[in-house]
Amino acid sequence: MAEEEKRRHRIALVEDSDEDVFLIQEASRKFSNEIHFVRFTTAESAIAGLTNPGSLPLDGIMLDLNLPRGSGLEVLNAIRRSDGLRSSRVVVLTSSGSARDRAAAEALGIRAYIEKPTGLDEFERAVEQALDELLIA
Amino acid sequence: MAPVPQQIPSTNSGDLAEPPPAWKTRLLLVDDDEGNLLSLQATLEDLVDELVLAQSGEDALRHLLDTDFAAILLDVKMPGMDGFETAGLIRNRKKSQTTPILFLTGFRSDDHLFRGYDLGAVDFLFKPISPEVLRSKVAVFVELARNTTLLRQNAEVLARAERRFRSLLEAAPDAILITNESGAINLANTRAEELFGRPRELLHGVSLKTLVPDWTEMAQIHSIELTGIRRDGSEFPCELTCSPLQTDEGLLITTAVRDITERRKAEENIRRLNSELEQRVATRTLELTRSNEALRQFAWAASHDLQEPLRIVVSYAQLLTRRTENLDDQSRGFLDTIVNGALRMERLLASLREYVFASDAGSEETEIVDANGLIEKVLSDLDLALKSSDAEVECAPLPTLTSVPALLSQVFQNLIANAVKYRAAAPLRIQISAERRTRDWLFGVSDNGIGISPEYHELIFGVFKRLHPHSIPGTGIGLSICKVAVERLGGQIWVESELGKGSVFKFTLPFNET
């Protein structure tokens, strides 16, 4: 197992924006050095990867809703339908401010729905809040 | 076809009256004996207006050329032309054919009498003539003449009236039919002949029902639209107006028949144009609604999609700022400019979304809102800004009303944020009030800020209209959002303010009966 993967926490990160992934990783380093992100860039690949019986266990899932070729809600749906993942902790970190999206996600069961804020400090606080929900709370 | 204008004879009022003053009662006295004439004159002159004396038959005839007489007293025995001969000549003239002739004679003989009556005498008077008898007989003829003239004049007046009536009838633009109670035609004018394609002789006695089958004796009131039939059987729409008139000959009904084919066509045209217009308006409205909706959705989507790249710009600019602590002040300044520019853009986009939301023509649910609670939330949201400007907010008790809470919040939020933004040097005082009026609520948000010059009072409610440089943060959309939101709620918003004297923003919200 690679050095990285020996770290204590594995979090699936379903996010298509490289810029945001970089920011999230920067922010998470402040939180803890022990976080390893498993990244998916599309809904398809996320569903396939997450529901794959051979995949390693996760501590939590950070989910963006605005994804190419499908939406984060589809991923969430698939997660909740899969036996192994049904009870996983999921935090939505998204740029969508839609009340409908929020309601739909909450109906499927999430720890938090966080809108990506503008401003670096605010963004870092949002990531910390997400990680807190997934790992600690 | 337009009727030919007819000359209507001008008349007097046509009253049946006394004979005009010009007419005089006249007697012609014919006797060769001057003495007799004078004697007759003396007896009769007060009975008549004028006495004409003639001493011969020829004389008499000459007078008769230009004068009418009530009666002629004719002496039988005259030299030259005698009375009988004169009478014969008098009778030959048309003018005097019926003028009463009284023969004066001393001779009483059957032969005489016979001849006289044969010549058309009305009476004989035997000499010596009794003045009383003479007077009474003459009086009779004078009276007769007077009455005859009167009758003739009345007949003349009647005839004139009749001619006038006929002229009017003929000149009428509508077909006029005069019928009896059961609709049999007594009289028809030219237009009626044209309209129904028959000369009036053929219309006489014909029932109105033949020409207008749906006519009934009940159609005697006002106007009614029916269908008329021309001689060739073709139908045309017509309007009948009936007026009954009670006369000595019974009930007569005057019916005016107007061909309304043209009018119907015009009405139909108008109806068609109207419906076309309505159709066009409906189509246009639909188009506009659709395009409005499309624009709205576009604005909404655009503002969201534009948000993303902005966020990235700001985040990375700030990241750069962090990583370049050794950067010179100017370069740091440049980075700040980038960040501020992006942040301003972000606020604009947020405002744009608020504007689109506030102007959404879709029905937003109204509910019962306690405005006091609403204001508390708004003030708490703006807490930071209010504290940092040391503002004091005085809020009068506000009503509970039926409205859209999100929109109402938006309005108060923008107004109060504005008060903070545009404060003067003096500590900021904000007052919020509400007044119940007959048909609406009048809300007020007043401040002691920098105020607004009257020439801008309308301008500031326009989108992107800012009066101040960018040093005072603001998107220029806040007030236009207020306006659009208030108007959506059925009210109006305006400002009362002067430069340096603070501002009072007022808006109304009509009562919503639920």
Side-chain angles (χ1 to χ4, degrees):
Chain A
M1 202 185 274
E3 193 51 47
E4 288 191 330
E5 297 182 6
K6 280 199 199 129
R7 289 190 199 146
R8 277 188 61 199
H9 309 294
R10 287 171 55 83
I11 294 182
L13 177 56
V14 186
E15 172 62 68
D16 66 311
S17 157
D18 291 340
E19 294 87 10
D20 279 335
V21 166
F22 181 78
L23 291 175
I24 292 170
Q25 283 175 332
E26 285 283 298
S28 79
R29 257 191 279 279
K30 287 192 172 174
F31 189 87
S32 152
N33 267 325
E34 312 245 334
I35 299 176
H36 170 64
F37 287 108
V38 180
R39 188 176 167 201
F40 299 99
T41 53
T42 68
E44 256 184 275
S45 58
I47 294 173
L50 291 171
T51 55
N52 182 352
S55 60
L56 293 167
L58 296 167
D59 295 293
I61 303 167
M62 215 181 284
L63 184 56
D64 180 16
L65 295 183
N66 292 336
L67 300 170
R69 292 199 299 277
S71 98
L73 287 171
E74 285 172 29
V75 178
L76 188 50
N77 218 339
I79 291 173
R80 290 298 174 231
R81 279 215 225 101
S82 136
D83 292 327
L85 297 172
R86 188 166 296 140
S87 47
S88 322
R89 292 184 173 194
V90 177
V91 164
V92 167
L93 181 63
T94 181
S95 46
S96 165
S98 153
R100 215 178 305 149
D101 282 350
R102 180 188 284 264
E106 283 174 357
L108 289 164
I110 49 176
R111 304 279 313 188
Y113 186 101
I114 304 172
E115 286 178 47
K116 292 177 190 168
T118 309
L120 193 54
D121 293 338
E122 293 87 344
F123 192 86
E124 285 176 351
R125 274 201 290 279
V127 172
E128 282 171 22
Q129 185 195 346
L131 291 172
D132 194 78
E133 288 288 347
L134 290 175
L135 301 175
I136 298 177
Chain B
M1 193 183 79
V4 176
Q6 304 211 11
Q7 208 48 36
I8 298 176
S10 61
T11 65
N12 57 14
S13 64
D15 287 335
L16 306 181
E18 289 294 314
W23 191 81
K24 291 186 177 155
T25 48
R26 290 187 197 89
L27 281 180
L28 180 60
L29 307 174
V30 190
D31 199 321
D32 57 307
D33 187 308
E34 199 180 341
N36 287 346
L37 280 180
L38 291 171
S39 168
L40 286 171
Q41 185 181 39
T43 314
L44 299 172
E45 66 187 345
D46 68 316
L47 281 183
V48 291
D49 297 318
E50 208 178 291
L51 274 174
V52 176
L53 307 174
Q55 288 189 275
S56 71
E58 291 92 347
D59 235 359
L61 288 166
R62 219 173 297 125
H63 282 297
L64 281 164
L65 273 177
D66 44 18
T67 318
D68 283 329
F69 294 96
I72 308 171
L73 270 61
L74 198 43
D75 181 27
V76 173
K77 192 152 181 261
M78 290 190 293
M81 216 192 303
D82 72 4
F84 289 133
E85 211 183 321
T86 314
L89 287 168
I90 291 175
R91 282 291 178 256
N92 273 349
R93 296 231 187 108
K94 199 166 176 197
K95 208 165 178 230
S96 48
Q97 238 173 10
T98 54
T99 311
I101 299 177
L102 285 84
F103 280 117
L104 305 168
T105 178
F107 221 10
R108 197 185 282 266
S109 99
D110 284 344
D111 225 8
H112 233 58
L113 291 173
F114 209 63
R115 196 167 165 211
Y117 284 125
D118 209 24
L119 285 165
V122 294
D123 213 341
F124 270 91
L125 287 158
F126 297 101
K127 296 180 184 174
I129 296 169
S130 147
E132 292 80 25
V133 174
L134 179 63
R135 278 173 64 87
S136 65
K137 289 197 181 195
V138 166
V140 167
F141 291 115
V142 167
E143 191 59 33
L144 189 66
R146 193 181 273 122
N147 287 349
T148 309
T149 310
L150 207 67
L151 270 169
R152 199 172 338 124
Q153 275 168 344
N154 285 348
E156 185 52 40
V157 164
L158 266 170
R160 263 201 296 262
E162 164 103 13
R163 278 197 298 278
R164 188 159 194 216
F165 166 70
R166 282 194 188 275
S167 305
L168 288 170
L169 204 65
E170 292 310 319
D174 294 333
I176 307 230
L177 301 165
I178 300 185
T179 71
N180 65 9
E181 258 177 304
S182 33
I185 298 172
N186 283 351
L187 206 69
N189 70 350
T190 311
R191 184 83 187 103
E193 292 179 316
E194 287 165 11
L195 198 57
F196 293 106
R198 300 168 178 79
R200 61 192 76 191
E201 296 75 36
L202 288 185
L203 286 172
H204 201 273
V206 169
S207 164
L208 194 43
K209 248 180 130 49
T210 318
L211 305 177
V212 181
D214 297 323
W215 180 88
T216 61
E217 289 172 26
M218 293 319 238
Q220 288 174 21
I221 352 138
H222 312 302
S223 307
I224 184 171
E225 286 182 17
L226 296 171
T227 311
I229 306 187
R230 297 196 193 88
R231 187 134 186 225
D232 62 5
S234 62
E235 294 184 347
F236 63 95
C238 60
E239 184 186 49
L240 266 65
T241 314
C242 304
S243 333
L245 179 68
Q246 194 66 246
T247 69
D248 298 330
E249 297 146 358
L251 188 70
L252 284 182
I253 308 168
T254 310
T255 307
V257 182
R258 179 173 290 183
D259 183 347
I260 54 174
T261 315
E262 284 313 307
R263 188 171 86 193
R264 283 272 172 88
K265 273 197 208 142
E267 283 172 7
E268 186 51 46
N269 261 357
I270 290 175
R271 226 173 288 141
R272 193 173 38 83
L273 283 170
N274 262 356
S275 113
E276 270 175 31
L277 194 65
E278 275 175 24
Q279 185 70 353
R280 250 182 271 153
V281 168
T283 311
R284 184 61 56 81
T285 307
L286 193 63
E287 282 168 9
L288 275 172
T289 309
R290 283 208 199 115
S291 100
N292 247 10
E293 183 58 26
L295 277 170
R296 229 183 34 83
Q297 285 180 3
F298 176 78
W300 190 267
S303 75
H304 271 289
D305 290 353
L306 290 168
Q307 197 88 13
E308 272 301 282
L310 260 183
R311 189 173 58 76
I312 299 296
V313 165
V314 170
S315 303
Y316 276 75
Q318 285 171 336
L319 205 55
L320 193 61
T321 312
R322 273 193 205 167
R323 297 247 184 124
T324 55
E325 275 156 9
N326 306 333
L327 210 57
D328 61 283
D329 284 341
Q330 198 183 38
S331 301
R332 297 199 124 252
F334 292 161
L335 278 173
D336 283 340
T337 305
I338 292 173
V339 172
N340 288 336
L343 285 174
R344 198 164 78 234
M345 176 91 184
E346 212 215 357
R347 280 197 299 276
L348 275 166
L349 286 175
S351 294
L352 185 61
R353 273 200 301 282
E354 283 169 11
Y355 186 92
V356 171
F357 175 75
S359 69
D360 191 349
S363 58
E364 206 61 46
E365 296 288 315
T366 56
E367 49 188 87
I368 311 228
V369 185
D370 173 14
N372 295 298
L374 192 116
I375 278 287
E376 261 180 52
K377 173 118 196 349
V378 168
L379 289 174
S380 112
D381 285 344
L382 291 170
D383 190 51
L384 209 59
L386 287 168
K387 278 218 174 64
S388 63
S389 57
D390 220 2
E392 212 181 85
V393 180
E394 232 177 76
C395 187
L398 300 177
T400 298
L401 67 160
T402 308
S403 189
V404 180
L407 289 179
L408 194 53
S409 279
Q410 186 74 268
V411 174
F412 277 119
Q413 183 175 296
N414 287 7
L415 290 178
I416 297 171
N418 268 9
V420 170
K421 257 183 259 169
Y422 299 106
R423 62 184 182 281
L428 178 60
R429 298 277 170 277
I430 300 177
Q431 281 159 318
I432 305 171
S433 65
E435 181 195 321
R436 189 196 175 99
R437 309 202 299 186
T438 348
R439 272 188 264 271
D440 53 28
W441 290 104
L442 176 64
F443 291 94
V445 176
S446 71
D447 64 65
N448 59 346
I450 59 181
I452 308 162
S453 172
E455 69 230 52
Y456 299 123
H457 285 188
E458 284 202 33
L459 196 74
I460 51 174
F461 289 100
V463 184
F464 291 129
K465 288 291 182 258
R466 305 193 70 241
L467 300 178
H468 302 282
H470 293 304
S471 50
I472 302 185
T475 57
I477 304 185
L479 283 177
S480 56
I481 293 177
C482 289
K483 181 167 178 231
V484 113
V486 163
E487 282 171 7
R488 263 264 325 272
L489 292 170
Q492 298 201 302
I493 186 168
W494 68 94
V495 66
E496 289 160 19
S497 173
E498 265 179 73
L499 215 51
K501 301 212 177 122
S503 310
V504 184
F505 281 87
K506 292 190 177 165
F507 66 95
T508 62
L509 290 180
F511 295 151
N512 265 328
E513 272 86 62
T514 32

